[in-house]
Amino acid sequence: MKEIYDIIFKLKNFCHCNEDKISKNCKISQAEMRSIKALEKNKAISCTDFSRKVRLSPSRSSRIIENLVKKGLLIRETSC
């Protein structure tokens, strides 16, 4: 059982290190990076649905969305 825990720990550490590298190279936070991964290309999503999907509060989700829009990584459209 210890071997399994060691493998899991090493894998989690490897993933965390790679997320750090990607985050720094792309100049985005890890929360922004995870949010981008949660979105589907060319598919609209409401702010409320986005908050639920990424499991963040609506205010935190809104700030992440605004930062991604400012960085040109996301397009925000209003529904009529």
Side-chain angles (χ1 to χ4, degrees):
M1 192 64 140
K2 183 181 179 323
E3 295 86 18
I4 293 172
Y5 287 123
D6 288 342
I7 291 169
I8 292 170
F9 179 77
K10 287 177 184 178
L11 182 58
K12 287 180 77 173
N13 188 45
F14 174 79
C15 292
H16 181 73
C17 289
N18 281 329
E19 282 184 348
D20 280 344
K21 288 177 187 176
I22 293 168
S23 176
K24 288 174 185 171
N25 287 339
C26 295
K27 296 183 173 81
I28 60 174
S29 71
Q30 288 192 12
E32 292 169 340
M33 186 171 61
R34 285 191 293 276
S35 297
I36 290 171
K37 285 196 270 183
L39 298 171
E40 295 178 46
K41 188 176 180 176
N42 298 323
K43 186 173 181 189
I45 185 171
S46 71
C47 290
T48 304
D49 290 340
F50 176 75
S51 296
R52 286 186 195 125
K53 188 169 186 174
V54 295
R55 295 181 179 165
L56 294 172
S57 69
S59 63
R60 178 67 179 127
S61 297
S62 180
R63 288 192 302 274
I64 288 173
I65 290 169
E66 188 59 34
N67 287 338
L68 292 172
V69 169
K70 285 179 183 176
K71 293 175 182 181
L73 300 171
L74 189 66
I75 297 171
R76 174 181 269 167
E77 296 178 352
T78 56
S79 59
C80 298

